[in-house]
Amino acid sequence: PGGFSSFINLRIYMDYNATTPPEPEVIQAISEALQDAWGNPSSNYIADVTFVPVSKVTARVEVEDIIAAVRPNTCLISVMLANNETGVIMPLQEICQRIKSLNKQRERLRILLHTDAAQALGKIRVDVSDLGVDYLTIVGHKFYAPRIGALYVNGPGTKTPLYPMLFGGGQERNFRPGTENTPMIAGLGKAAELVTSNLSDYESHMQRIKLYLEERLQAVFAGRIRFNSHFLGSDILPNTCNVSILGPRLQGWRVLSNCRRLLASVGAACHSDSGNRPSHILLSCGVPSEVAANAMRLSVGRETTEADVDAVVEDLRETVQLLEEMN
């Protein structure tokens, strides 16, 4: 156990888009809730779905493409706020404004708007009032909280429709039966409080470290590197660097599996069943197949340092050299 712990401590984690460690304050909030608040606190549907592709220039879903896809029976539009592989931020506020204008012109049920803000929260400002959404979902393990999610609804059951999928107890105002997981809820709340208080510091630190990472990668692998998170006219998350080192034996999975210190992934953990195939997200963004096959998603966190970056880039340099010598 001691040796294993020492080995793990030598590794450098750069997969913060997959999951983040809970902050000490979050762990304390969970522990206190387990000790002090241990008591009980309290159908199938068929839909016709239209998928709107992203632009191969900007890697964003474009506003006009969303509007063009609206049909007479459209009742809900769902757009992720930021992509978890490229880090590209979607023009959600503009989409919401256009749809609300469209709603005023339509003599029918209004179109509701949902966003998945899991990758954005804790990295950029997320304000439901500014965005204009009806629904917003988050999950704790993306911003240093436990693995528990939350759904924001603008006026649940009154201004905005909300119906239970399960039936039983009357918890959560009859919207979701089942005993609430108080410690995890407390941890999620504490993590959100930390984001509210410290977002500016978190964002500027991650942006600075990511830029340093990209500079070092460019310096070491000059002429044979492609950043798959840089798209014309698009803003990206401050912590996300999707990069390919070009070469016939330098597929992302192969490079990462031979690194001694770097812990990262080739893409989204929720698509890990895709094996070693190139990311369909990168392909849909116009990234060539041979480049997408070599992609690695490096996502820095609140505690990542320039020394970590130096060690990771050296690890990648040594790994690439090893793989090319084997070839």
Side-chain angles (χ1 to χ4, degrees), residues 23 122-125 144 194-209 238-239 300-304:
E23 290 279 17
K123 300 166 187 169
I124 60 173
R125 176 178 166 82
Y144 295 74
L194 290 170
V195 168
T196 301
S197 302
N198 303 297
L199 178 61
S200 178
D201 292 338
Y202 294 160
E203 187 175 3
S204 61
H205 171 78
M206 289 186 287
Q207 181 75 24
R208 180 176 62 82
I209 294 298
N239 79 317
V300 304
R302 299 173 188 174
E303 306 300 325
T304 309

Side-chain angles (χ1 to χ4, degrees), residues 8-230:
I8 288 295
N9 289 336
L10 291 174
R11 308 299 290 271
I12 296 171
Y13 187 73
M14 279 198 182
D15 202 13
Y16 287 92
N17 279 12
T19 194
T20 55
E23 290 279 17
E25 295 94 333
V26 172
I27 296 173
Q28 181 180 351
I30 294 171
S31 299
E32 290 174 354
L34 284 169
Q35 180 176 345
D36 301 329
W38 49 266
N40 191 324
S42 41
S43 300
N44 288 334
Y45 301 93
I46 298 174
D48 187 10
V49 180
T50 300
F51 294 95
V52 179
V54 298
S55 163
K56 293 186 181 299
V57 176
T58 65
R60 307 185 311 179
V61 59
E62 299 296 349
V63 179
E64 296 304 327
D65 292 337
I66 292 285
I67 300 301
V70 171
R71 300 185 299 188
N73 63 339
T74 299
C75 60
L76 175 69
I77 293 174
S78 181
V79 180
M80 69 191 319
L81 184 50
N83 186 267
N84 49 348
E85 291 196 19
T86 63
V88 170
I89 300 169
M90 303 298 162
L92 188 64
Q93 188 175 30
E94 187 179 351
I95 291 171
C96 290
Q97 290 171 349
R98 292 289 300 277
I99 293 300
K100 287 184 176 182
S101 297
L102 194 62
N103 281 338
K104 295 177 181 178
Q105 304 168 14
R106 296 160 66 96
E107 297 179 357
R108 58 178 297 281
L109 294 174
R110 82 180 196 267
I111 299 173
L112 298 165
L113 296 149
H114 164 264
T115 188
D116 174 359
Q119 272 310 333
L121 193 64
K123 300 166 187 169
I124 60 173
R125 176 178 166 82
V126 177
D127 187 311
V128 290
S129 298
D130 291 344
L131 292 173
V133 293
D134 299 297
Y135 309 99
L136 179 143
T137 45
I138 61 171
V139 64
H141 67 278
K142 303 295 186 183
F143 65 103
Y144 295 74
R147 286 182 176 85
I148 183 174
L151 168 67
Y152 162 84
V153 183
N154 183 14
T158 55
K159 186 176 180 180
T160 302
L162 181 67
Y163 302 97
M165 297 182 65
L166 303 172
F167 300 89
Q171 291 89 347
E172 300 197 39
R173 288 176 285 177
N174 290 312
F175 289 122
R176 184 188 182 278
T179 303
E180 293 92 337
N181 190 344
T182 305
M184 298 301 105
I185 294 171
L188 186 74
K190 174 55 71 173
E193 182 181 298
L194 290 170
V195 168
T196 301
S197 302
N198 303 297
L199 178 61
S200 178
D201 292 338
Y202 294 160
E203 187 175 3
S204 61
H205 171 78
M206 289 186 287
Q207 181 75 24
R208 180 176 62 82
I209 294 298
K210 185 191 72 170
L211 291 176
Y212 181 70
L213 171 63
E214 292 182 346
E215 290 170 3
R216 294 299 303 133
L217 288 169
Q218 190 74 265
V220 171
F221 299 103
R224 52 183 312 194
I225 198 158
R226 158 80 182 256
F227 291 110
N228 307 312
S229 45
H230 293 180

